[in-house]
Each structure stands twice: as structure tokens, then as C-alpha cells.
Amino acid sequence: MQKIKDLEYAAAVLHWDIETYMPAKGVRFRSQQMATLQALAHELFTAENTGVLLKELVESNNLDDFKKTNVQLSLEDYEKATKLPNEFVKESSVIRTEAFQAWLKAKEANDYAIFRPALTKMVENKKQEAALLGSKGHTYNALLDQYEKGAEVESLDALFKDVREKLVAFVKELKEKGQQSPNHFLKHIFPKDEQWELGLDLLKQIGYDFEAGRQDISAHPFTTNFSPEDVRVTTRIDEKDLMSMIGSCIHEGGHALYEQGLPSEQYGLPLGSATSLGIHESQSRLWENNVALGLPYWKANFESLQKTFPSQFSGINLQSFYKAINQVSPNLIRIEADELHYHLHVLIRYELEKGLIEGTISTENLNKIWNQKYRDYLGVNVPDDNRGVLQDIHWSQGLFGYFPTYSLGSFYAAQIYAQAMKEIPNMIIEIEKGNMKPLLDWLREKIHRHGRRYTSEELCKQISGEGLNLKYFMDYATRKYGEIYGL
Amino acid sequence: MQKIKDLEYAAAVLHWDIETYMPAKGVRFRSQQMATLQALAHELFTAENTGVLLKELVESNNLDDFKKTNVQLSLEDYEKATKLPNEFVKESSVIRTEAFQAWLKAKEANDYAIFRPALTKMVENKKQEAALLGSKGHTYNALLDQYEKGAEVESLDALFKDVREKLVAFVKELKEKGQQSPNHFLKHIFPKDEQWELGLDLLKQIGYDFEAGRQDISAHPFTTNFSPEDVRVTTRIDEKDLMSMIGSCIHEGGHALYEQGLPSEQYGLPLGSATSLGIHESQSRLWENNVALGLPYWKANFESLQKTFPSQFSGINLQSFYKAINQVSPNLIRIEADELHYHLHVLIRYELEKGLIEGTISTENLNKIWNQKYRDYLGVNVPDDNRGVLQDIHWSQGLFGYFPTYSLGSFYAAQIYAQAMKEIPNMIIEIEKGNMKPLLDWLREKIHRHGRRYTSEELCKQISGEGLNLKYFMDYATRKYGEIYGL
């Protein structure tokens, strides 16, 4: 298992290099090298002998509890991986390549119709995949399970119903009755070098270990890991958008803290891996939103921020800064959304992809349905396909079942953060002093060190005494934004 | 073959990352990841089936000339690789690890005695290896052949006899009768940033393609390649030693030009690889010494150098600069030696390792024999083992037969450069204008594009009409240094 993971991590290093330092012409053979590593890893893992050995081990009585869990989870992975026949895997790869090309062309022409035939094929392919994987209940469950073990339409429907009713209503209330605060000063010029240094300082402050990682610049910020002792983040800097850099640093930093907190003695094994995309996202969002968009965090940091950018923040006090960075409004693009409207974007995608997979929505008028939902939930008019149904890469890559994990992340984060506040003495006072260690230590203890031992829901219950409940997110949202908007 | 090379190149990317950007704690699992990639590559290459397929193909009549050559050379490699039994390979790896540890300890204590037992074991191991590999003539030939196909004691003895007689005499003459020129101004402070920019400009000037490569900083300069379209160099900068940076940039740049000039359609195959260490070194040294320590090169570049460092070179003219950078003197450390004395360092190592392998020299008094030879050939007294027999890493890594390739590189370079001057119209005039393209194009045509099609000696004959002949190097040395030293 570790050897296979060595190959996958090597591929991750090659990918990091592509995104950061590789010279332009390097891409041709680099793609081939990565494909070779990934194919070899897949081949080794799905080899018949792997299954034979795992099945033998799972029956053994000589394993300690850690090994037992590693064997069980590995066998589970093996069975999932071998459910898809090689022929199907190859065919899927071709469909993905075609869909991606079609998506690029469609974006260039700003015309969904160009993407539609490929998307139709893709949806059929995902239905077949779901059938091959098999699952209890709804067909879409098999796809969800790939990113969020145990996630099911039955519970997500209830969750997103809540989102549709409560969150849609709340953001409407904010818009209609709330009091906006000025935030023009956030659009000043913030020079690159100062932003870069600030980003490094903020990463250090939350506890990111620069001996076991580094930050670089890339076109799209991401986190990657080659072991718990080498977890790297990237960011990008827009001189006109300071908060985008801060948000991306802390977001990726949150992902990285999870990876750096995984047990290194379980390197390459299930117990040395993150449990799910939802929990991963909970760690990035907890730091990005619950912590770094909070008043205590800026009590700790605003003074030094003001020193770094004296002219930009001249005459601005902590309260007006805090309100400025927490202005929310409906928008067209998911990745530019604020922490409330974001989930309406996900809600729409969830409803659409579930509908596509179960066959209640066809690809024919998908752009029109998309636009209608944006009017209904966000109150915005989508002017064209590029700012509508073509904005995300996911469907062209076959990533069906992925979007919900983004919202799950925020909702888990709110629930986990509420519990942290209860359990950690003086947590907020420590954050106000710039001391994030009590919170990080608690997350390490409750989440990071367990690797894949517990599913998202099991972890959530263990930490908070109940499964995921939107109440925590709504409480957080209404209290925070009610105050900011003077409701 | 290409898949195997994909794995090896992936390992090379991981190694590049270690030397440039990897955070400190990353080293533990990185070593494991590299070991996995290398072991897999070795396993795939030495698999019985590889041999079966290659033997089948070598008999085939359906291959074009390129494929035929690739198959023949691959089979040769396969047969060499499978001559060493797995048991022996493992044992050798242990001996290497022990020897390296002992060498580190010996260096720390500045005491050869600590290294001696491990070196004795290593020498026995290399004798066994030579026996397993088999070779015509001298035992040492089998080891030489690993780095320089076809190199043999029989011809190297003649070559190094010439070095011992002619070069030793010439440097003695320079020392006794030559006129030294001042070079104190080279020891001024040259700020890092300006040096860095200068290095990039000089690399561009010789034709290094930054779209297919990049330069970074590392503790020891090196060149690495992941395809002909991604060939990277590193350098280091000492603010007190401008010429060290220039030398290392151009040296690594010369290696890189060779790799960038290999045919990309032969990626991963013998015809897409460099032919030998000696020829590789000839490319780095030709640019570093024959070109970039020459007067025409500085006719092109001195003016802009002076503009970059006006105070450091105030009152210095081209002639005095040229003489200053070409001052030679005997010294203790190989890697700090000038282009003449360098070969006396190699001569000593050649004599010693040949003696160790044939059994005429024992490890017992190796440090004393070393010191005696330094007195005899260079006229210097070695004050301690660290500045003597312990200075190189090579023997602790089992690299016997490697040192001679350094000198072969310079000697081939002189012979190739002499031919280039004959064949390329106005080459020197173009270099004086900063135009290196005629020379690079000629090297591409004569050497780079052939990959491993010809051995070093075959290439040399093809280019110059005769095999390696020290005469070209001695002519170059006596003409250049005779003039500089006013003999």
C-alpha cells in the first residue's frame, strides 16, 4: 500500500511542479510521466494478488486494531476500484477527454449547445458507473459515496431543503432590511511583496509548519501533500484584492493543517489519510470563515495590517474593517461567492446533477433551468452561458457528486466550531491575542490524528453528539450577519 | 523502455525538488518515494520478459535503422544490468551506505583511518563487480566501461602518461618562468541580484532555452533533465567570487545544451540519451573553458560586465580582466582547481584507483601515497586528510572509474573545439560579437542529435578524423597560457 502511495505522491510532486515552476515546453513529456505513474499505481492496487492478500489479512486474528482498520479500509477501496471493468475505465477516460475539449470549445464560443452532446454522453457514462458501483437507495448515492463516504440523497435532500428554505430567506432578509457598510477601501492597491509577506505571517500564525511545507504562487491556489511532513500550499496575489489573497492563504492553510496533522507513522495507509472531501473542506472553511472572517481574529491582526498598509487603511477602524470584509450579496459565479450565497450556488448544482442522474432533468434545456434557479434562489439574471452553466470545470471532468462536499464542509465547520467554543476554555480570548494553538490542538485531537478511522458522520457525532445539522450553520450565520447588518 | 524512463525521470524531478525547494522535514518520505521509483524502474528493466522481447527484436528484419540501434543498445544495457545478481546488488547497496557513513565520520574527525576499513570492503566489492561484469584486458576496464563505453586502461595509461610528462612540465614552467597578472579585483563584493541576472543573460547568450528549462539556486550546481524539453540547471552565488558563478552557469549550461539538443522523438530510448560522461563533460567544459575563459567571449561581454559592476571593474581593461581570470596555480582541492591543474588531480585519482583495483596499492597507506603524489605532481604539501584523500565523495559511493571522465571531457573538448574553429567560418568573429549560434548549431549537428548512436571514440574520430589525442589540449594550453604568462 505504501509503495503504491509512493507512486501517487511522486505524481503529486510532478503535478505541483507543473503548477509552480515547470518551463512551458515541459508539459508534453510531463503528462506522459504522470500518466505512467498513475497507471502503474492503479495496476498494482487492482492486481488480483492485492485482493487475495487483503482478503487473507482481513480474516487474520493477529492484527492490532490499527492494522485491522487499515486492512478493512484497503479492502473496501480495493473492492470499489475493481468494480469498474478495465474496458469501462478506458471508455470513461475517452468520454472525459472529449467532454473537456467540448467544454473548452463551448466556453470559447460562450454557447452551451456546443457542450451539450458531450455532456449527454457523460451523464450516461456516470449512470453506468453508478450502476456498476451499486448502492442502496438512489442511483446518485454511488457517485456521492466516492467523495463523501456514506453521503446519501435521502439525508442531503433534507439538508438542501433547509438551505433552500432558511438560507434563501435569510439572505433575502439581509438584502431587503439589512444595513450595508462601505468597503471601497478594500479595493485600493496592495503591493505584491507586502501581500506575500503578510500571507506567510498569517499561515505561521494559524500553526502551518514551514519546516514541513512551503508556499508558492500558482494560477489557482491549491494544497498538495507528499507525506504529512511535506504539505505545500499555493496562493495568488491580485494587487486590487487583498482579501482574496488572505482568504486563499487561510483556506489552503486550513487544508494543510489537516494534512500536517495526519499521523506520519500511518504514511500511505488509510489511517494516514484524510477521511473525506467534506471534512477536508470543513478544515479549510473553519479557518477561512469561522476564524479569519471573525472579529476576534481581526482584534489580533488588524493593528499590524494597518501598519503594513497605512495609507490604504487610514481612518478605518477595526469595526468598519470587520463589517467591510463581511459584506454579502448575490452573484453569478460560485467561486466568487461569499460564505452565505455560496451554498445557493451549490444547492442549484446539487438539484441539477441529481436530476440529470435520476433522469428527471435532461441536458436539453439545462442552461435554461440553471438560469431559472439563479433567478429563484439568488435573484440574479444570468446574462450568458459562460456566466451560467458553463462556469465550472466539474461536469466536463466527470465529477458528479463532488459539489455537495463544498457545502458539507461549511456546515460541518460551523458545527465543529460551535463545539470547539464550548469545549476550549477562553478560545475566543486566545484568538483575540493571536494564539490559535488551543483551537489547532483541539482539531488535531478530535479530527486530524484519526485519519480515515471514522466517516464524516461518525466524526461529527463523536465531536458534537449529533449528526450534521444545518442549525449550527444557520445560528452562526444569523447571529453574525444579523449583527453586522443591524437586523 | 519509455515507461521505465518515465519512472527514472520522475525520480529526477523528486531529486531536483530535494535540492531546490523541498522543506527540511520532507526528506524522510521523499527518500522512500525515490527508492520505490528506482526499484520499480530496475525491476521492470531487468525482468526476464524484457530480455526475451529484446532478443526477439534484435533478430527482426522489420526494423528501421533507428529502431535497430535502439534495440541493440537496449539489449546491451539489459545484459549489463542483469549480469549482477540481485543478492550482489543488495550487498553492494549496504556496503555503499556503510562507506558513505564512514566517510562522513572520517571527514568530521579529519582522519582517514576511520574511513579505511569501509574503503577496503568497497574495493573488494568493486573487484567482485568488475569480475561479474567481465571485460577484456585489465579488471578496471569493466568499471571504466560503465561511465565511458569502450574506455580501457590500455589507452588511458598512454593518455595519462602524457599528462604526467607534458602537463606537469608545462605548469612547472608557467610557475617558474611565467609572469603573473593581478587579479585582486575579482575578489570584490559582487551583489547577489546582479550576479543572478548576469547568469541568466549569459545562459541565454549561449543558446540555453528557458522555455525548456530554468535556473534555480542549490548548494552544489547541477544539471538535470526530465526530457529534452525540460532540462534544468542550478547555480550558487558567492558575493566574493563572481567567476565561480559565471563558471558554474556556463558549465551547467553546456551540459544542458547537450540535453536540450537530444532528439525528442527518441525520448526515453538510447538514441535520445547522451552517449557518455566524457562527451557530456566535453560539452560543459568546451563552453566553460574554451569559450567562456577565452578572449573572444570577453570581447563580446566585458563592456556590459563593466557596466553591471562599474566600481568593481573601474580602471580595468579587457586585457587585464582576461589575464586575471586565467591565472593558474597548484592547489589542494580538485573542485577548486583551474583548467590546467585540474588534470593533475584526476591523474592522481586515476593512478590510485587503478592501483587499488589491480591490487598494487593497498588502502593501508593510501593517504600517504596520495600526499606523496601531490608533492610530486603539483608541488604542494597536503596538511591533513580532509584536504587530501578524504576530499571527494566518489569512492564512498562506489564510483570507481568515474574520475577519468572529467579529464576525458576537457581533452575531447579541446579536440572538438579545434575542429570547430577549422570548420565554422568566422566562428571567433561571431563569438566576439556575442553570437554563439554557429558553434551551437555545429555541436548540435556533430554531437547532440546523435544521442548514443556513436561511442565517444567513434564520435571523436568522425568529427576530427582521429581518436582522442592529448596534443589538442596541450596545443590549446601552451598557446593560450604561453601568451598570458609571456613565455
Side-chain angles (χ1 to χ4, degrees):
Chain A
M1 292 299 135
Q2 289 183 325
K3 274 197 183 172
I4 291 164
K5 215 59 186 166
D6 285 341
L7 290 171
E8 290 175 1
Y9 283 140
V13 176
L14 267 58
H15 179 77
W16 172 87
D17 183 69
I18 290 179
E19 300 289 335
T20 51
Y21 295 112
M22 192 185 70
K25 290 182 187 167
V27 71
R28 176 159 63 133
F29 291 111
R30 178 59 58 85
S31 310
Q32 185 178 317
Q33 290 155 359
M34 284 182 65
T36 295
L37 292 177
Q38 280 150 353
L40 253 172
H42 182 75
E43 206 178 282
L44 287 171
F45 184 58
T46 56
E48 222 183 304
N49 197 38
T50 307
V52 171
L53 291 170
L54 285 170
K55 278 168 203 157
E56 213 170 277
L57 276 171
V58 91
E59 301 296 333
S60 161
N61 293 317
N62 296 323
L63 301 180
D64 66 25
D65 169 58
F66 284 93
K67 285 184 179 151
K68 219 178 184 59
T69 310
N70 277 326
V71 169
Q72 279 162 350
L73 290 169
S74 297
L75 183 56
E76 231 173 64
D77 295 343
Y78 173 80
E79 281 168 349
K80 273 184 203 169
T82 49
K83 268 184 190 162
L84 304 179
N86 280 339
E87 266 316 295
F88 181 79
V89 171
K90 271 185 211 158
E91 192 190 305
S92 303
S93 165
V94 173
I95 288 172
R96 251 192 333 267
T97 305
E98 285 171 4
F100 182 59
Q101 293 306 324
W103 178 69
L104 289 175
K105 273 188 204 143
K107 286 199 38 123
E108 217 179 293
N110 197 356
D111 184 2
Y112 167 69
I114 294 173
F115 182 42
R116 196 169 73 82
L119 180 62
T120 309
K121 259 178 131 175
M122 175 63 84
V123 170
E124 282 315 305
N125 177 261
K126 298 314 283 190
K127 282 183 193 172
Q128 280 179 44
E129 185 178 324
L132 287 164
L133 292 170
S135 68
K136 286 172 285 176
H138 200 284
T139 320
Y140 184 43
N141 288 353
L143 303 177
L144 287 167
D145 188 75
Q146 291 176 305
Y147 308 109
E148 197 69 22
K149 190 174 150 184
E152 290 182 338
V153 164
E154 292 69 19
S155 51
L156 285 185
D157 270 354
L159 185 75
F160 279 110
K161 180 166 172 281
D162 256 14
V163 172
R164 196 167 47 236
E165 287 168 6
K166 293 176 185 159
L167 191 55
V168 168
F170 181 60
V171 296
K172 211 172 159 204
E173 194 188 348
L174 284 181
K175 199 180 176 189
E176 287 167 4
K177 302 189 201 152
Q179 207 181 329
Q180 295 251 330
S181 302
N183 62 357
H184 57 276
F185 51 85
L186 293 176
K187 302 293 158 196
H188 281 145
I189 295 293
F190 297 89
K192 274 208 165 118
D193 290 354
E194 279 85 350
Q195 282 204 46
W196 174 254
E197 290 301 323
L198 172 66
L200 297 179
D201 287 345
L202 296 179
L203 279 170
K204 267 176 219 146
Q205 188 187 52
I206 62 171
Y208 177 80
D209 180 359
F210 276 92
E211 293 276 295
R214 50 179 292 118
Q215 180 170 268
D216 295 275
I217 296 286
S218 69
H220 300 281
F222 67 97
T223 303
T224 185
N225 57 293
F226 319 134
S227 80
E229 291 161 2
D230 193 349
V231 181
R232 305 188 187 181
V233 292
T234 70
T235 191
R236 67 178 155 199
I237 296 179
D238 174 353
E239 296 204 322
K240 286 187 206 148
D241 197 347
L242 172 68
M243 291 314 293
S244 156
M245 183 285 293
I246 294 178
S248 109
C249 271
I250 303 296
H251 181 93
E252 302 307 331
H255 280 304
L257 289 176
Y258 187 8
E259 292 290 339
Q260 287 186 336
L262 289 168
S264 62
E265 66 278 13
Q266 297 290 336
Y267 169 87
L269 301 169
L271 288 177
S273 309
T275 193
S276 75
L277 286 184
I279 294 298
H280 227 307
E281 198 71 9
S282 82
Q283 298 307 287
S284 57
R285 303 253 169 141
L286 184 147
W287 289 101
E288 180 191 5
N289 296 335
N290 303 78
V291 176
L293 286 177
L295 193 56
Y297 181 86
W298 288 107
K299 272 195 188 157
N301 290 318
F302 183 65
E303 208 178 295
S304 86
L305 185 75
Q306 215 170 16
K307 267 189 204 143
T308 309
F309 302 111
S311 67
Q312 293 90 330
F313 291 125
S314 140
I316 308 298
N317 64 24
L318 172 61
Q319 273 297 331
S320 49
F321 175 77
Y322 169 64
K323 285 185 179 172
I325 64 174
N326 283 296
Q327 291 301 296
V328 295
S329 62
N331 71 324
L332 291 166
I333 308 294
R334 177 183 59 85
I335 59 166
E336 294 168 3
D338 57 67
E339 64 167 329
L340 299 185
H341 290 89
Y342 190 89
H343 305 292
L344 308 186
H345 293 265
V346 173
L347 164 64
I348 291 170
R349 286 154 182 78
Y350 171 71
E351 292 183 350
L352 292 180
E353 66 181 32
K354 195 185 68 163
L356 287 168
I357 296 298
E358 69 188 15
T360 54
I361 293 177
S362 114
T363 55
E364 197 178 341
N365 295 310
L366 194 68
N367 53 343
K368 293 194 181 121
I369 308 174
W370 176 287
N371 297 353
Q372 184 59 48
K373 284 186 189 286
Y374 266 79
R375 264 191 300 276
D376 293 346
Y377 301 156
L378 288 111
V380 294
N381 285 309
V382 177
D384 54 26
D385 292 340
N386 274 357
R387 280 173 283 184
V389 70
L390 290 178
Q391 69 182 263
D392 298 305
I393 194 177
H394 298 60
W395 291 338
S396 79
Q397 297 281 291
L399 297 169
F400 282 75
Y402 194 110
F403 282 124
T405 68
Y406 292 130
S407 283
L408 290 176
S410 289
F411 303 157
Y412 279 128
Q415 194 158 341
I416 291 165
Y417 194 71
Q419 192 65 28
M421 275 201 281
K422 273 192 231 165
E423 287 188 20
I424 305 169
N426 299 326
M427 184 181 94
I428 295 298
I429 294 169
E430 290 306 318
I431 292 178
E432 285 173 350
K433 290 191 280 189
N435 178 15
M436 314 293 166
K437 199 168 176 303
L439 175 56
L440 177 57
D441 286 347
W442 187 86
L443 293 169
R444 289 260 148 97
E445 168 70 20
K446 299 284 173 182
I447 301 171
H448 304 178
R449 72 184 174 99
H450 296 304
R452 283 175 59 192
R453 178 175 292 279
Y454 308 109
T455 64
S456 315
E457 273 300 279
E458 284 166 0
L459 259 185
C460 184
K461 277 181 197 153
Q462 211 165 284
I463 293 168
S464 68
E466 60 175 317
L468 184 62
N469 188 336
L470 191 69
K471 169 183 173 299
Y472 295 94
F473 181 79
M474 286 309 304
D475 280 357
Y476 159 77
T478 47
R479 196 175 315 117
K480 175 176 170 181
Y481 287 93
E483 193 196 310
I484 290 170
Y485 278 79
L487 292 186
Chain B
M1 291 302 134
Q2 289 184 324
K3 273 196 185 174
I4 291 164
K5 215 59 186 167
D6 285 341
L7 289 171
E8 289 174 2
Y9 284 139
V13 176
L14 268 56
H15 179 77
W16 172 86
D17 183 70
I18 290 179
E19 300 290 335
T20 51
Y21 295 112
M22 191 184 71
K25 289 182 188 169
V27 71
R28 176 159 62 132
F29 291 111
R30 178 59 57 85
S31 310
Q32 185 179 315
Q33 289 155 0
M34 284 182 64
T36 295
L37 292 177
Q38 280 150 352
L40 254 172
H42 182 76
E43 207 177 282
L44 288 171
F45 184 58
T46 58
E48 221 183 304
N49 196 39
T50 307
V52 171
L53 292 169
L54 285 170
K55 277 168 205 160
E56 213 169 279
L57 276 171
V58 93
E59 301 297 332
S60 161
N61 293 318
N62 297 322
L63 302 180
D64 66 25
D65 170 58
F66 285 93
K67 285 186 180 150
K68 216 173 186 64
T69 310
N70 277 326
V71 168
Q72 278 162 351
L73 291 169
S74 297
L75 183 58
E76 230 172 66
D77 295 344
Y78 173 81
E79 280 168 351
K80 272 184 203 170
T82 49
K83 270 185 187 159
L84 305 179
N86 280 339
E87 265 319 294
F88 181 79
V89 171
K90 271 185 210 159
E91 193 190 304
S92 302
S93 163
V94 173
I95 289 171
R96 249 190 335 266
T97 306
E98 285 171 5
F100 181 60
Q101 293 306 322
W103 177 70
L104 289 175
K105 272 187 204 142
K107 286 202 37 125
E108 215 179 296
N110 198 355
D111 184 2
Y112 167 70
I114 294 172
F115 182 44
R116 196 169 73 81
L119 180 62
T120 309
K121 260 178 133 174
M122 175 62 84
V123 170
E124 282 315 306
N125 176 262
K126 299 312 284 189
K127 284 184 193 170
Q128 280 178 45
E129 185 178 323
L132 286 164
L133 292 171
S135 66
K136 286 173 283 176
H138 201 284
T139 321
Y140 184 45
N141 288 352
L143 303 177
L144 287 168
D145 188 74
Q146 293 176 303
Y147 308 110
E148 197 69 22
K149 190 174 149 185
E152 289 183 339
V153 164
E154 292 67 20
S155 53
L156 285 185
D157 270 354
L159 184 76
F160 279 110
K161 181 167 171 280
D162 255 14
V163 172
R164 195 168 48 236
E165 287 169 6
K166 294 178 184 158
L167 190 56
V168 168
F170 181 61
V171 297
K172 213 173 156 203
E173 196 189 346
L174 285 181
K175 197 181 176 188
E176 286 167 5
K177 302 191 202 152
Q179 206 182 330
Q180 296 251 328
S181 301
N183 62 357
H184 57 277
F185 51 86
L186 293 175
K187 301 293 159 195
H188 282 144
I189 294 292
F190 297 88
K192 274 207 165 117
D193 290 354
E194 278 85 351
Q195 283 204 43
W196 175 255
E197 291 300 325
L198 172 65
L200 297 179
D201 287 345
L202 295 179
L203 279 170
K204 266 175 220 147
Q205 189 187 50
I206 62 173
Y208 176 81
D209 179 0
F210 275 93
E211 292 276 297
R214 48 179 293 119
Q215 179 170 268
D216 296 274
I217 296 286
S218 68
H220 300 282
F222 66 96
T223 303
T224 184
N225 56 293
F226 320 134
S227 79
E229 292 162 1
D230 192 351
V231 181
R232 305 188 187 182
V233 294
T234 69
T235 190
R236 66 177 156 200
I237 296 177
D238 175 353
E239 297 204 322
K240 286 186 208 147
D241 196 348
L242 173 68
M243 291 314 293
S244 156
M245 183 285 293
I246 294 177
S248 108
C249 271
I250 303 296
H251 181 93
E252 302 307 331
H255 279 304
L257 289 177
Y258 188 7
E259 292 289 340
Q260 288 187 336
L262 290 167
S264 63
E265 66 278 12
Q266 298 290 336
Y267 169 86
L269 302 169
L271 287 178
S273 310
T275 192
S276 75
L277 286 184
I279 294 298
H280 226 307
E281 198 71 7
S282 81
Q283 299 306 288
S284 57
R285 302 253 169 139
L286 184 148
W287 288 101
E288 179 191 7
N289 296 335
N290 302 77
V291 176
L293 286 176
L295 194 56
Y297 181 85
W298 288 107
K299 272 196 186 153
N301 290 317
F302 184 66
E303 208 177 295
S304 87
L305 186 75
Q306 214 170 16
K307 267 189 203 140
T308 309
F309 303 110
S311 66
Q312 294 91 330
F313 291 127
S314 141
I316 308 299
N317 65 25
L318 172 61
Q319 273 295 334
S320 48
F321 174 77
Y322 170 64
K323 285 186 178 172
I325 64 174
N326 283 296
Q327 291 301 296
V328 295
S329 62
N331 70 324
L332 290 166
I333 307 294
R334 176 182 59 85
I335 60 166
E336 293 168 4
D338 57 67
E339 64 167 329
L340 298 185
H341 289 90
Y342 190 89
H343 304 293
L344 309 186
H345 294 265
V346 173
L347 163 66
I348 292 171
R349 286 154 180 77
Y350 171 72
E351 292 183 348
L352 291 179
E353 65 182 34
K354 195 187 65 163
L356 287 167
I357 296 298
E358 70 188 15
T360 54
I361 293 176
S362 114
T363 55
E364 197 176 340
N365 294 311
L366 194 67
N367 54 342
K368 291 191 183 127
I369 307 174
W370 177 286
N371 298 353
Q372 185 57 49
K373 284 186 188 286
Y374 266 80
R375 264 191 301 275
D376 293 347
Y377 300 156
L378 288 113
V380 294
N381 285 310
V382 177
D384 53 27
D385 292 341
N386 274 358
R387 280 172 285 183
V389 71
L390 290 178
Q391 69 182 262
D392 297 305
I393 195 178
H394 298 59
W395 290 339
S396 79
Q397 297 281 292
L399 297 169
F400 282 75
Y402 194 109
F403 283 123
T405 68
Y406 292 130
S407 284
L408 290 175
S410 290
F411 304 156
Y412 279 127
Q415 194 157 340
I416 292 164
Y417 195 71
Q419 192 63 29
M421 275 201 282
K422 273 192 233 165
E423 288 188 19
I424 305 169
N426 299 326
M427 183 182 94
I428 295 296
I429 293 169
E430 292 305 318
I431 293 178
E432 285 174 351
K433 291 191 278 187
N435 179 14
M436 313 294 167
K437 199 168 176 301
L439 175 56
L440 177 57
D441 286 347
W442 187 87
L443 292 169
R444 289 260 148 97
E445 168 70 20
K446 298 284 173 181
I447 301 172
H448 304 178
R449 72 184 175 98
H450 296 304
R452 283 175 59 193
R453 178 174 292 278
Y454 309 109
T455 65
S456 316
E457 273 299 278
E458 284 166 358
L459 260 185
C460 184
K461 276 182 199 154
Q462 211 164 284
I463 293 168
S464 69
E466 60 175 317
L468 184 62
N469 188 339
L470 192 68
K471 169 184 173 294
Y472 294 94
F473 180 79
M474 286 308 305
D475 280 356
Y476 159 76
T478 47
R479 195 174 316 116
K480 173 175 172 182
Y481 288 93
E483 193 196 310
I484 290 170
Y485 278 80
L487 292 185

